[in-house]
Amino acid sequence: MKKRVFVTLKPGVLDPQGRAVHHALDGLGFDGVEDVRIGRLVELELADGVSDEKVAEMCEKLLANTVIENYRIEDAG
Amino acid sequence: MKKRVFVTLKPGVLDPQGRAVHHALDGLGFDGVEDVRIGRLVELELADGVSDEKVAEMCEKLLANTVIENYRIEDAG
């Protein structure tokens, strides 16, 4: 069973990495880029029966810093 | 217009970050975790009219290291 966890910075939290990428895209001549936000994608291969509550607990304890980050869990087939 | 780019390591490429997270999850007592792969999520806020080809070019030139990484572009509403 595969689950995907998307970890993104909460709105309003400064994203220096995103800023740097945005700056680099401008430097490469890409027009039309208004904002860039960088997050993490964690792909978990799990044994059958591991509940979403358990995956949420993994996020709360390790995968996401819930002070400044949000997380979203998705099935990945 | 918002686009999401998922950058993941190609299958077979060693993922030390994923290994470390996997090891930590085991250490925290989470059973049933068979594998962990870590990727990047790039959220792009773009002016209307920026084509997927242009986003793919951003990936090829900057956002992904296409030697060891795959990327996938998704609309994000």
Side-chain angles (χ1 to χ4, degrees), chain A residues 4-9 15 17-18 21 36-42 70-72 74, chain B residues 2-8 38-44 59 63 69-76:
Chain A
R4 275 203 197 102
V5 176
F6 302 101
V7 181
T8 51
L9 286 169
D15 180 3
Q17 213 180 353
V21 170
V36 180
R37 303 276 288 178
I38 307 288
R40 282 194 309 283
L41 162 61
V42 182
N70 290 322
Y71 62 86
R72 183 165 56 86
E74 229 182 55
Chain B
K2 201 167 180 177
K3 296 272 182 183
R4 274 203 199 103
V5 177
F6 301 101
V7 181
T8 51
I38 307 288
R40 282 194 308 286
L41 163 61
V42 182
E43 293 181 316
L44 296 166
C59 293
L63 302 179
E69 290 175 331
N70 290 322
Y71 62 86
R72 183 165 56 85
I73 301 166
E74 226 183 53
D75 286 333

Side-chain angles (χ1 to χ4, degrees), chain B residues 33-51:
Chain B
V33 179
E34 292 167 359
D35 191 27
V36 180
R37 303 276 288 179
I38 307 288
R40 282 194 308 286
L41 163 61
V42 182
E43 293 181 316
L44 296 166
E45 193 70 50
L46 301 169
D48 290 335
V50 176
S51 65

Side-chain angles (χ1 to χ4, degrees), chain A residues 51-67:
Chain A
S51 65
D52 269 9
E53 287 69 33
K54 190 57 80 177
V55 178
E57 197 185 330
M58 293 179 197
C59 292
E60 297 281 335
K61 284 189 175 171
L62 182 73
L63 301 179
N65 172 354
T66 50
V67 173

Side-chain angles (χ1 to χ4, degrees), chain B residues 12-66:
Chain B
V13 175
L14 184 68
D15 180 3
Q17 211 179 353
R19 280 269 178 94
V21 170
H22 191 174
H23 191 67
L25 288 171
D26 289 347
L28 287 169
F30 289 107
D31 307 326
V33 179
E34 292 167 359
D35 191 27
V36 180
R37 303 276 288 179
I38 307 288
R40 282 194 308 286
L41 163 61
V42 182
E43 293 181 316
L44 296 166
E45 193 70 50
L46 301 169
D48 290 335
V50 176
S51 65
D52 269 9
E53 287 70 30
K54 189 56 81 178
V55 178
E57 197 185 330
M58 293 179 198
C59 293
E60 297 281 336
K61 283 189 175 172
L62 182 75
L63 302 179
N65 173 354
T66 51

